[in-house]
Amino acid sequence: MTETLVVGAGVAGLVLARELVLQGRTVRVLEATDRAGGQIARHEVAGIPLDSGAEAFATRGGTVRAYLERLGLADRIVAPLDAPAWLHARDGVTVPLPRVSLMGIPSAPLAEDVVRVVGRRAAWRGMLDALLPGPRGANAASLGALVRARMGDGILERLVAPVVEGIHSKHPDDLPVSAAPGLVHAMLQENSLARAVTRLRIDAPAGSLVAGLEGGMATLVDALLAELDRYGVPVEYGVRVAEVHPDHVVLAADPDADPATLRIGEDGEPIPDLRHGEIVVAAPGLVDPADGRPAVTTATHLVTLVVNAPELADSPRGTGVLVARGTAVRARALTHLSAKWAWVREAAAGREVLRLSYESAPEVDEALRDASALLGVLLTRAQLVDSAVTTWQRAARIAAPESIPLVGEQISGTGLAAVIDHAHRTAEELGARAREQESL
Ligand SMILES: Cc1cc2nc3c(=O)[nH]c(=O)nc-3n(C[C@H](O)[C@H](O)[C@H](O)COP(=O)(O)OP(=O)(O)OC[C@H]3O[C@@H](n4cnc5c(N)ncnc54)[C@H](O)[C@@H]3O)c2cc1C
């Protein structure tokens, strides 16, 4: 039987490797860095073990929950604090987000909590949604275009954009409609975007849209690695792949070097060559997109602050605050981790844990200032116990090439729900294909 080589030990590569080995395949995983998990990682701030990347998963469709249950993690799944997130609006005022909304799209554009954010004029424009023909906007190229067509610019820019940017680090104009699964389908059935939101929220009541794992999402990586270990799947660290071909990969000569540079190294450097039966790529940037459009990566910078601030003990801004553009605050979002997750609160032992995200690297003092503005509580250097800054590169989606199977967020879209579901399905398809070939 041929060996399957999985390139990249992020969650996509780990899930794929596990599913393939459960089908009886021989699998080997190559990882460029010295650890598995990719954008799921753990760090310690003030001695508190925290997620430094992804910290929650979307519960829609139940796929991640079902997968965690299969891994024996059912009893570690936890719900966040059931309180609305807040929005730091364009006028600098911080208000709770409308209770019934989906990615900021309101179910009742004229509700007082919507008017407070967008103003009465934009809210009335939002009401037009109920009068427009049902299919208007259904073929929109982006979530932004859909909302603009149905509810107008005001609701899009003042409400939906800050929420989407806080979650996806992208403007809704750059996000496919599929990022809100089932939304267009529900809109066509309800003849209204607002009613579609109500319907989807009835299926997934407030507070149940995301969940986490006690001990953090890094617990998922621990569980997947334990499974691979149990089934004898080797994960080789410090092995950077420079090139992928349908039947072999070319390894980078120096695992710490930039792969782009190593491509150039082809002409001089001694590059080991590896021949294998089947290769699946679970790492970004290695395969040329089918449409030739270059892959884009964006950086996200996170600042984690551990502070002594008893005023924050009763979670004045729920799970956190999303930030509209054009205010004095440069952070895109703040998550009050010790309010959101009971396990963080317990580990923090009376201190508060905050996480702010930025598009370009911030100073800790700026993060303290932004946190003060967003939480309405003055936080000073003297209250700071510890801090950490982490930078992540996120790969945008590309058009899938035919030649080499690909998993991971550049093909499935970002977020653990999309990535895990796609990797799982890909493993099943590869298994079915292999069985078919073997029976010939
Ligand atoms: C700060 C942050 C917060 C997030 N929060 C959430 C959240 O709360 N909920 C959610 O659902 N999603 C969240 N996400 C998104 C989610 O984490 C990702 O969509 C998901 O983890 C991507 O997994 P992946 O396996 O596709 O890619 P990655 O995690 O990027 O894994 C790719 C792996 O491939 C390795 N690799 C790269 N190049 C090579 C090479 N040349 N050779 C060998 N190996 C290579 C990398 O080192 C890495 O280990 C967040 C992301 C970030 C950055």
Side-chain angles (χ1 to χ4, degrees):
M1 184 174 296
T2 54
E3 187 176 55
T4 302
L5 196 64
V6 178
V7 181
V11 69
L14 297 176
V15 166
L16 183 95
R18 174 184 186 261
E19 295 311 309
L20 290 178
V21 78
L22 287 180
Q23 294 173 19
R25 307 255 222 128
T26 307
V27 185
R28 182 173 166 193
V29 184
L30 304 182
E31 166 56 44
T33 67
D34 61 359
R35 61 162 192 92
Q39 294 170 54
I40 304 180
R42 199 180 263 127
H43 63 170
E44 277 202 7
V45 191
I48 309 166
L50 298 164
D51 281 314
S52 61
E55 46 104 28
F57 61 91
T59 53
R60 70 178 138 74
T63 48
V64 180
R65 182 178 289 273
Y67 201 72
L68 295 173
E69 285 169 2
R70 285 183 56 203
L71 284 172
L73 294 173
D75 57 349
R76 303 197 66 160
I77 298 175
V78 289
L81 175 76
D82 184 14
W86 287 55
L87 175 70
H88 190 66
R90 270 215 305 214
D91 54 8
V93 175
T94 309
V95 288
L97 276 170
R99 265 234 165 231
V100 189
S101 58
L102 188 81
M103 296 174 111
I105 306 168
S107 65
L110 272 179
E112 214 27 65
D113 53 8
V114 179
V115 174
R116 202 161 44 196
V117 178
V118 303
R120 200 155 289 280
R121 200 185 160 93
W124 273 107
R125 168 61 187 89
M127 279 305 286
L128 257 188
D129 163 61
L131 307 173
L132 292 171
R136 171 80 64 90
N139 293 325
S142 66
L143 190 70
L146 169 66
V147 175
R148 192 177 282 113
R150 304 279 330 174
M151 293 186 171
D153 263 343
I155 286 187
L156 175 70
E157 296 299 345
R158 285 174 222 165
L159 192 49
V160 180
V163 174
V164 167
E165 284 169 350
I167 300 170
H168 291 275
S169 309
K170 274 184 189 161
H171 190 276
D173 283 340
D174 300 321
L175 204 67
V177 176
S178 59
L183 186 63
V184 169
H185 182 69
M187 184 182 90
L188 289 170
Q189 287 185 328
E190 297 287 339
N191 284 322
S192 146
L193 183 59
R195 282 201 297 274
V197 169
T198 312
R199 182 179 170 149
L200 292 177
R201 291 305 299 258
I202 288 168
D203 291 345
S208 70
L209 290 174
V210 295
L213 281 176
E214 193 172 346
M217 288 312 300
T219 308
L220 165 60
V221 175
D222 299 342
L224 284 166
L225 283 177
E227 288 274 286
L228 296 187
D229 192 43
R230 188 165 139 212
Y231 296 117
V233 176
V235 182
E236 292 167 33
Y237 297 100
V239 182
R240 186 176 286 280
V241 169
E243 274 178 39
V244 180
H245 301 274
D247 65 347
H248 71 284
V249 299
V250 179
L251 301 186
D254 171 6
D256 292 328
D258 180 349
T261 320
L262 283 155
R263 278 180 203 282
I264 300 163
E266 264 179 284
D267 48 24
E269 313 246 13
I271 296 172
D273 189 84
L274 203 70
R275 297 210 165 260
H276 276 272
E278 181 178 47
I279 293 160
V280 187
V281 173
L286 278 172
V287 177
D288 292 334
D291 58 6
R293 283 167 50 180
V296 183
T297 52
T298 46
T300 302
H301 306 266
L302 296 183
V303 186
T304 305
L305 305 173
V306 176
V307 289
N308 285 315
E311 314 90 295
L312 297 180
D314 58 355
S315 319
R317 299 281 151 93
T319 54
V321 187
L322 299 163
V323 184
R325 287 194 187 272
T327 76
V329 173
R330 211 166 58 81
R332 304 286 4 118
L334 174 148
T335 309
H336 188 169
L337 288 174
S338 48
K340 186 171 181 181
W341 305 114
W343 68 268
V344 177
R345 187 163 57 248
E346 205 170 300
R351 297 160 297 177
E352 299 297 329
V353 186
L354 311 170
R355 183 163 107 164
L356 295 99
S357 63
Y358 289 85
E359 287 166 346
S360 57
E363 297 291 329
V364 169
D365 284 325
E366 180 179 22
L368 276 169
R369 270 197 311 277
D370 285 353
S372 304
L374 297 175
L375 294 166
V377 166
L378 180 66
L379 298 170
T380 63
R381 268 269 170 185
Q383 288 165 274
L384 185 67
V385 181
D386 198 4
S387 65
V389 181
T390 41
T391 296
W392 294 99
Q393 299 292 338
R394 307 177 80 171
R397 225 167 163 159
I398 60 162
E402 291 282 321
S403 50
I404 292 165
L406 214 60
V407 293
E409 69 176 359
Q410 63 170 346
I411 209 75
S412 63
T414 188
L416 301 176
V419 171
I420 292 175
D421 186 43
H422 177 262
H424 193 177
R425 280 188 290 112
T426 303
E428 280 169 7
E429 280 162 26
L430 291 174
R433 203 192 302 164
R435 283 191 296 277
E436 210 175 281
Q437 279 165 359
E438 275 162 23
S439 69
L440 288 179

